[in-house]
Amino acid sequence: MGRLENGRKHVTFLHLLGAEMLKMRRTWILWLHILMPVLGIAVFLWYYSFSMWSAWGKISGYIEIVSIVCPVLVSFVSALAAEQEKQAGHFQNLFGTGRHRESNLAIKICLLMLWNLAALLLAVGGFGAGFSLMTDVKVPGKFYPILILITWVCQMFCYCFHLFLGIRFSRGISIGAGVVESLVAALMMTGLGDGIWQFLPCAWAGRFTGYYVQMTANADINKEFLRTQIETGGIVMLLMTLAGAGLLFMWFHNYEGRRMED
């Protein structure tokens, strides 16, 4: 019986995920995850074709821009997803029955995270493939996959936060917060972020990927210090992400569909 129940849950999850994908396929959400990475790759590879930066400097610069753009993209996508649910019966499809509303929210977050992963595979993997044709710099085979994984994991809290803003308040507030987060993310990559970046989710991707690039590119850098920063930031990120997701689902369980604009 236990195996049968697990099999049913697995089939139900895939069914709900497929239904959610069909529901969003005609929106701008999917195209944003394709067009923005392709445009970014084209612009940067064109610029790097005549730029005098070092090879590792070019890689680091591109990854920094990806990390800065992520909060805006997440906020925009989350706002569109929330707006779609509002227009489809004022969140009634998302609510479903009482015992299924948390599952519906989890499915939506999972699908958005999968699309985010696909966008990062295209943005970082596509850049890596193109850049390898332009230069003879040697990078480890796991370098780009690890960058993709780091950046992706750092987005979980942001999706929870911006879905809350989009559902509870409005599309404008979610996007506006994303713009502010991108500006903060850029600042946190400078010395201003030392000591506080761990507590700002928008800064996680930039700092973690930056440290990884430094550890890979520079054999003389203080790797012990970077490992300490990564370990401390990783613990804080894990705790904040779990707390953020838990609070989102607790709030959504009792949410009645009212928004600030209603």
Side-chain angles (χ1 to χ4, degrees), residues 101-123:
R101 59 163 56 197
E102 289 88 356
S103 298
N104 293 337
L105 180 63
I107 290 293
K108 184 172 288 292
I109 293 175
C110 285
L111 182 58
L112 293 177
M113 287 293 293
L114 286 174
W115 278 348
N116 182 268
L117 177 59
L120 289 171
L121 285 169
L122 180 58

Side-chain angles (χ1 to χ4, degrees), residues 8-242:
R8 287 177 179 174
K9 290 180 181 179
H10 181 69
V11 172
T12 301
F13 176 83
L14 293 178
H15 175 73
L16 292 173
L17 192 65
E20 188 70 27
M21 186 173 295
L22 288 174
K23 189 167 63 176
M24 291 187 180
R25 68 177 181 176
R26 296 184 182 276
T27 68
W28 272 98
I29 295 175
L30 178 59
W31 289 107
L32 281 172
H33 288 85
I34 298 174
L35 295 178
M36 289 191 67
V38 170
L39 179 61
I41 291 170
V43 170
F44 273 85
L45 289 182
W46 168 77
Y47 173 65
Y48 286 165
S49 66
F50 58 83
S51 172
M52 300 304 292
W53 290 16
S54 68
W56 281 107
K58 292 176 180 178
I59 294 174
S60 178
Y62 179 78
I63 298 302
E64 286 181 1
I65 294 299
V66 170
S67 300
I68 292 171
V69 170
C70 273
V72 172
L73 178 61
V74 170
S75 69
F76 200 79
V77 167
S78 299
L80 289 179
E83 194 67 22
Q84 181 192 37
E85 293 296 340
K86 179 180 184 293
Q87 294 174 359
H90 207 82
F91 302 107
Q92 292 309 307
N93 290 335
L94 187 60
F95 291 157
T97 59
R99 65 189 182 92
H100 288 312
R101 59 163 56 197
E102 289 88 356
S103 298
N104 293 337
L105 180 63
I107 290 293
K108 184 172 288 292
I109 293 175
C110 285
L111 182 58
L112 293 177
M113 287 293 293
L114 286 174
W115 278 348
N116 182 268
L117 177 59
L120 289 171
L121 285 169
L122 180 58
V124 179
F127 170 81
F131 191 68
S132 65
L133 299 175
M134 295 172 49
T135 179
D136 57 356
V137 63
K138 297 185 182 300
V139 300
K142 62 182 181 180
F143 177 71
Y144 289 111
I146 289 179
L147 284 177
I148 292 169
L149 181 61
I150 292 172
T151 309
W152 183 59
V153 170
C154 292
Q155 306 310 312
M156 172 60 80
F157 182 94
C158 293
Y159 272 110
C160 293
F161 177 61
H162 283 284
L163 273 176
F164 165 73
L165 293 180
I167 294 172
R168 177 61 182 86
F169 297 102
S170 68
R171 177 173 59 185
I173 289 179
S174 177
I175 296 174
V179 173
V180 173
E181 287 171 12
S182 287
L183 295 175
V184 172
L187 289 175
M188 290 300 102
M189 292 181 189
T190 68
L192 294 174
D194 294 344
I196 62 173
W197 68 269
Q198 298 95 331
F199 306 100
L200 298 172
C202 59
W204 292 341
R207 281 283 180 157
F208 282 129
T209 56
Y211 288 151
Y212 179 65
V213 172
Q214 291 180 49
M215 292 176 69
T216 305
N218 192 343
D220 298 327
I221 201 165
N222 188 346
K223 293 186 178 181
E224 190 59 36
F225 169 76
L226 295 186
R227 288 194 185 97
T228 302
Q229 289 288 298
I230 291 172
E231 290 174 1
T232 303
I235 293 172
V236 173
M237 181 181 71
L238 176 62
L239 294 177
M240 288 185 64
T241 299
L242 291 176

